[in-house]
Structures are given as structure tokens and as C-alpha cells.
Amino acid sequence: LILTPSVETPWLTPFAFVPLAMLWLSIRRQAEVDQELRDVRALHGFSGNVSGAADLATIGHVAVEETAQLLRARRCTLYVRRGAAYEVAAAVGDPIELPDAVQGRPDLPIRDDGFCAAELATAEGVVGVLVIAGREGAAMEFNDTDIERLRTIAAQLSAPVARGLMHQQLEFEARHDQLTGLANRGTFERSVANGVGGAGQTAFVAVLDLDRFKEVNDTLGHHAGDELLVAVAERLREVAHHDDLVSRFAGDEFGIAGRRSSIDEIDATIRACIHAIGRPHRISGLEIVVTASAGVATRAGSADAAPPDVATLLRHADIAMYHAKQHHLGHDHY
């Protein structure tokens, strides 16, 4: 019907397309409005999806998946801040490298050459950065609306990420010694109870105690004693195998649990630990030499073995350690 007048009067043909163009623009605008409404609803849904979570991994996974979908980004990375450093918490696609400019904390959000970043901040400070790259769809670059939505998402995500970081820190502190960062005794005992040996291998539990540690505390003070304990912990980490569990029980007492193919290999590890501890330490400007005594309890592993009696293993290792200390043996077996 719109084209009928143009057929009868050819000079009216250009005007016949005006209603069609207006109709097309109206339909397109309505589609854009509908999409904007869907995006707004999705933003509200995003907030609800992360508001109840406490686990940082869960929060991060939901955050990057939904951010990438909402902003039509091929890649999305959530960085969390630990001290002055940033680390990747979750990513869609390959993690986006965080530019030096972002790590220098400029005014965010920023947009540059297909890349957008927005800061996650709480009243206590910056907790992370949300980064997107590679826009999909007809518009290949992120626009002002996209960056405003990224800002909104980052604002909604700040509190859950801060909560996730706090939850993670509390869990770490519950499982680790606060001074040295090693596993604490409870974590050590649970790990041994879950089995540290495999079929054809010998599981071992070793207890190491510093000799005359009290003299360091009494002479140089508790601060120097703490420095020494941290240094000992670092040396034990260096010597132990990557799958060994190194723990600080209390005071100057440490534990190591692992598995080896033979008793000789276990002895070699414990001797290496004692030797490492015995190297001079530079504490409070002074060179200090300490020695250590160790006791070892072992348990042959098998595929159908019952869970180990942790209390008995530790008691046996303690007995061997005190025997080694009394007789200056370095280390001994129960």
C-alpha cells in the first residue's frame, strides 16, 4: 500500500521509502530498548548470584562468566589484590595481562583499543580489577554504555570479592601457623590420618626439635627467636620434597610427613633437614648456629591398609626424637 502512489506517480517514489525507513528505525530502536532492559535485569541477577557466596573461587567463576556474557566480551579476567600485587582469580578465555598502567592504579574504569578495566573498591581500599577484551557483535569496540555497565558490575562485585578474600584468609589462618606460614598441627594430623603412604612405599612422620632454642630467646629476646623459627621453616621447605608436608607444631617443634621408597631415602631427607638447620643463621645482625634433633616413625604402605593411627605415630616419633636429643644422635627411629 505504501508503494502504490509511487507506481502511479513516479516522482513520489523517494518519499514512499520514508515510512519504511521510519518503521525500520522504530523496530531497531525497540529491539535496542528490549536488549537494554534484558541487560539491566541481568545486572540485577548478577548481583544476586554472587551476594550469597563466600568462596572466592565460586564468586570469581560467576563474575567472569556473567560479565563476559553481559558485555559480549570474548575474554574476561578477574584480578584480586594481595598486598601490592595482583593475581588472577578467574578468567574466561586466556587471562588478560594486566597493564602496568592499571597496576599503578590510575583513575578507573579505562578503555583502550578493545580493552576495558574497572576497579573493585571498598571503604578499606582496592580489592581487585575486572578486565574485559575482544568485544563480539556488530560493534567491535566497547562503547560508553559498556564501560558504564562494567563500572556497575565492578561496584556490585567489590563486597563479595572482599568477603571471599577474608573467608580465604580466615581458612588459611585456621590451617596454618601464623608466624611461619607452615601447616599447623591440626592440619598435619588430618593429612596424616588421610594417608601419606602408597602401595609399595613407606610413609614416615618425623618430629624435629631445635636444641637449646630457649637460650636464643633468653639471650637475644623473643623477636630474635621468631626470626630464627621463620628461617628454620624456610630451610625445611627448601629441603623437603614438593609433596612432603612440613608443619610447625608449637614453640621450636616442627613436623614432616611424606613417603619414600625406602628407609634409606627417609634417613637422607632427615639428615638433609638437620644439616640445613645447622648452617649459620644471620639473626639480629649476629651469626647464630643451632642444631636440631629428630625422631622418625614409619609405616609400610599398602593398597588395602587401614588409616594410620596418627597419635601413635607422633608418640613414637616423639620418643625417638627425645632419645636422639639425649644421646646426641642427630636423629633416631622408633
Side-chain angles (χ1 to χ4, degrees):
L1 294 177
I2 294 173
L3 295 176
T4 301
S6 68
V7 174
E8 296 176 353
T9 311
W11 63 270
L12 292 175
T13 299
F15 297 98
F17 287 99
V18 173
L20 288 175
M22 293 180 65
L23 178 62
W24 179 80
L25 289 173
S26 176
I27 293 172
R28 180 178 176 180
R29 179 54 187 156
Q30 184 61 49
E32 290 174 350
V33 170
D34 289 343
Q35 183 61 55
E36 289 175 3
L37 289 173
R38 286 194 294 271
D39 288 347
V40 170
R41 285 194 293 268
L43 282 172
H44 288 297
F46 169 86
S47 178
N49 289 340
V50 297
S51 62
D55 177 60
L56 184 61
T58 300
I59 294 168
H61 176 74
V62 172
V64 296
E65 290 285 346
E66 297 205 8
T67 300
Q69 182 178 355
L70 284 168
L71 298 179
R72 299 167 187 83
R74 288 190 295 273
R75 299 163 65 198
C76 179
T77 304
L78 173 64
Y79 281 89
V80 294
R81 192 176 184 193
R82 298 187 188 279
Y86 289 90
E87 66 179 48
V88 175
V92 169
D94 294 333
I96 304 166
E97 185 175 353
L98 199 60
D100 292 338
V102 174
Q103 297 187 52
R105 292 186 58 192
D107 291 334
L108 294 179
I110 63 170
R111 180 175 72 243
D112 181 30
D113 192 24
F115 167 97
C116 289
E119 220 169 44
L120 280 64
T122 66
E124 286 71 35
V126 176
V127 296
V129 176
L130 188 60
V131 191
I132 55 174
R135 197 185 196 286
E136 296 180 329
M140 300 304 294
E141 299 293 333
F142 296 106
N143 56 33
D144 291 341
T145 300
D146 293 326
I147 202 166
E148 188 59 36
R149 286 175 179 164
L150 183 64
R151 187 204 300 268
T152 300
I153 291 171
Q156 293 179 348
L157 194 57
S158 298
V161 166
R163 184 174 62 248
L165 286 168
M166 178 62 71
H167 178 74
Q168 195 176 69
Q169 180 65 27
L170 291 174
E171 283 205 330
F172 180 87
E173 291 176 358
R175 293 178 169 84
H176 294 80
D177 171 54
Q178 293 188 29
L179 176 64
T180 63
L182 296 177
N184 59 24
R185 187 181 185 111
T187 299
F188 186 89
E189 292 180 355
R190 286 190 296 272
S191 296
V192 174
N194 290 333
V196 293
Q201 293 186 310
T202 299
F204 73 92
V205 170
V207 174
L208 296 91
D209 189 83
L210 303 185
D211 301 324
R212 298 185 300 279
F213 175 72
K214 186 175 181 300
E215 294 177 12
V216 176
N217 272 339
D218 292 345
T219 304
L220 301 178
H222 288 282
H223 176 72
D226 287 348
E227 278 190 61
L228 178 60
L229 292 173
V230 171
V232 168
E234 186 57 36
R235 291 187 183 181
L236 290 177
R237 283 194 191 98
E238 293 172 357
V239 172
H241 288 194
H242 73 278
D243 55 351
D244 290 343
L245 178 63
V246 182
S247 169
R248 180 189 174 212
F249 290 167
D252 61 338
E253 191 173 63
F254 296 83
I256 302 177
R259 55 185 182 272
R260 299 290 188 273
S261 298
S262 66
I263 298 295
D264 288 342
E265 288 187 9
I266 296 172
D267 283 342
T269 296
I270 302 306
R271 281 196 299 269
C273 289
I274 293 173
H275 176 74
I277 293 172
R279 298 199 312 269
H281 299 266
R282 175 66 64 173
I283 304 295
S284 298
L286 299 174
E287 190 174 88
I288 297 174
V289 176
V290 295
T291 57
S293 300
V296 182
T298 59
R299 181 175 185 268
S302 64
D304 57 351
D309 182 342
V310 181
T312 298
L313 282 173
L314 286 173
R315 185 171 66 253
H316 289 174
D318 268 329
I319 292 171
M321 184 271 292
Y322 283 114
H323 185 264
K325 186 182 290 284
Q326 183 179 5
H327 294 87
H328 309 287
L329 300 176
H331 81 283
D332 195 17
H333 293 267
Y334 180 85

